[in-house]
Amino acid sequence: MEIAVLGGGNGSHAAALDLTEQGHRVRFWRRDANAVRALRERGNNLTLKDSRGEREVKIGLVTAAISEAIEGAALIVCPAPATAQPDIGRALAPHLRDGQVVFLPPGSFGSYLMAKALRDAGNDAKVAFAEAGTLPYLTRKHGDFKIAITTRASRLPTGVFPLSQTLQALEVIRQAYPAVEDAGDALSGALMNAGPIIHPPLILMNAGPIEHFEHWDIHNEGTQPAIRRVTTRLDAERMALREALGYGAPHFPLADHYDDARDEWMYGNAAHDKLVDSEDWRERLILTEHRYMREDVATGLAFLVSVADWAGVPAPTATGLLTVGSAICDDDFRKTGRTLEALGLSALDRAAMTRLLETGV
């Protein structure tokens, strides 16, 4: 396939390399013109490191022009953090064409946000937006031109917006990511997002060590029994919310990620051990700026709390963690984060929300 990959972070680099190795024709877009120039000077070559060792991979096209990246692309993969979605959505909207599929792994309901940007730009193209429960990769950059992939997702529950385009969208995405599984509509997909469950307890309950130590591995020393108990309670609230909204199992409980004796989770068995063993997550963390705070607390957790409030489902652990995160950042993420109120959807009743999810903006 012709595939556009958008963004300059860990997930976007991993996708550009992995999809190229699969034989797809990849156009890699970064808004950073200097980074594009530097990669072109290397002949579009990046180094991929995974369980098979290290090798050079040449990306087909590297560009700072988003129109050039997506022209003719059947699939547009955007693994950028949710905080980048509004800007990318506005840049993308005028150039999308009928039949294209935009894949956000994960999304935090970014599928709706980007679909609305499309209509706000006056573009009436029939485009499907999909979002998965996690990135397709556990991955970290080792410098500007080397990317380490610790493991690849074996199951990717994915919701589609609008739901009416699910069959076509998943058919396209599976050509790149065979692990994709139908999770229903985009709200179901958003409530599969593992980031707002695993990361808020880690970033908030490790606040002291993060600010004290030069480097800290929140997935190793930071994952202690007390934190796991909070994560389990938080995940139970997510699953209760899904059930209340009519979304049935599988809910991909995070406990499956930690316990190999349970069902296979999104990254397969022993993923947590691989993550810790790689030591790629022993890093310098700026508490108030880190992606786990800005994407998974201020965006993903704020969205989860707002949906729970809208649905009338108690979520005390989620609400409490959101409050603590707001205090740490001297903010109020319930007011300033990504919520149904901020998206202009909080006044919808259940029937109107169902219609929106089914038919689109």
Side-chain angles (χ1 to χ4, degrees):
M1 273 196 303
E2 298 282 347
I3 300 178
V5 176
L6 311 182
N10 300 306
S12 299
H13 277 80
L17 285 167
D18 188 56
L19 296 172
T20 297
E21 274 215 323
Q22 289 184 37
H24 299 291
R25 295 177 294 278
V26 171
R27 300 93 166 275
F28 187 25
W29 173 80
R30 296 193 60 179
R31 73 180 92 198
D32 185 340
N34 290 330
V36 168
R37 188 179 307 110
L39 184 49
R40 284 177 173 174
E41 289 173 355
R42 286 174 49 90
N44 291 1
N45 286 297
L46 291 166
T47 303
L48 172 60
K49 176 186 176 183
D50 62 9
S51 60
R52 293 167 46 202
E54 294 187 12
R55 63 263 188 205
E56 292 290 299
V57 178
K58 183 181 178 66
I59 308 300
L61 172 70
V62 181
T63 180
I66 201 166
S67 58
E68 182 182 25
I70 72 165
E71 184 179 3
L75 177 63
I76 300 163
V77 181
C78 183
T83 50
Q85 290 169 356
D87 286 343
I88 293 176
R90 285 189 291 269
L92 191 61
H95 308 292
L96 289 167
R97 298 293 179 261
D98 284 343
Q100 290 184 306
V101 177
V102 180
F103 185 40
L104 309 172
S108 294
F109 213 46
S111 52
Y112 167 78
L113 187 151
M114 287 200 170
K116 187 173 186 303
L118 180 73
R119 296 296 176 250
D120 288 346
N123 187 345
D124 61 359
K126 186 177 180 180
V127 177
F129 299 85
E131 55 183 271
T134 190
L135 273 173
Y137 318 94
L138 287 177
T139 182
R140 278 292 186 271
K141 292 173 66 179
H142 291 184
D144 291 335
F145 306 112
K146 184 175 180 179
I147 294 84
I149 296 179
T150 300
T151 193
R152 292 165 173 81
S154 56
R155 303 183 70 183
L156 280 173
T158 298
V160 177
F161 187 88
L163 182 64
S164 58
Q165 295 188 41
T166 295
L167 291 179
Q168 178 255 341
L170 295 186
E171 181 180 356
V172 170
I173 298 169
R174 283 195 182 107
Q175 294 178 55
Y177 296 107
V180 159
E181 300 181 19
D182 186 357
D185 62 40
L187 182 56
S188 174
L191 295 176
M192 284 291 192
N193 190 351
I197 306 303
I198 190 171
H199 294 144
L202 292 178
I203 198 81
L204 300 174
M205 297 177 72
N206 283 289
I210 287 170
E211 290 198 324
H212 177 74
F213 292 107
E214 184 68 22
H215 294 83
W216 183 254
D217 188 339
I218 61 176
H219 292 288
N220 190 1
E221 295 89 349
T223 302
Q224 298 299 327
I227 294 173
R228 282 286 313 280
R229 289 194 292 272
V230 173
T231 303
T232 299
R233 186 73 63 88
L234 176 61
D235 204 25
E237 294 175 3
R238 175 188 70 89
M239 291 186 284
L241 175 58
R242 285 182 51 80
E243 289 284 350
L245 292 174
Y247 301 127
H251 299 303
F252 289 83
L254 196 60
D256 292 356
H257 169 62
Y258 290 105
D259 187 350
D260 291 344
R262 295 171 62 98
D263 291 341
E264 182 184 33
W265 198 66
M266 299 184 201
Y267 290 123
N269 293 328
H272 180 72
D273 294 337
K274 293 176 184 177
L275 183 152
V276 171
D277 291 345
S278 74
E279 296 194 349
D280 280 344
W281 280 259
R282 185 174 301 284
E283 54 192 348
R284 179 173 180 264
L285 304 175
I286 301 176
L287 180 63
T288 59
E289 299 177 10
H290 196 270
R291 180 175 67 82
Y292 292 172
M293 181 71 79
R294 292 297 163 180
E295 177 172 23
D296 294 318
V297 179
T299 302
L301 193 62
F303 180 75
L304 176 67
V305 169
S306 75
V307 175
D309 287 350
W310 171 80
V313 176
T317 309
T319 303
L321 288 168
L322 188 66
T323 302
V324 172
S326 297
I328 288 174
C329 295
D330 194 23
D331 201 338
D332 183 352
F333 294 149
R334 189 63 182 81
K335 293 181 178 178
T336 63
R338 181 175 297 178
T339 63
L340 288 180
E341 291 85 357
L343 294 171
L345 301 176
S346 60
L348 297 183
D349 60 19
R350 295 280 189 97
M353 180 67 79
T354 299
R355 286 194 298 272
L356 171 69
L357 294 168
E358 170 69 33
T359 61
V361 179

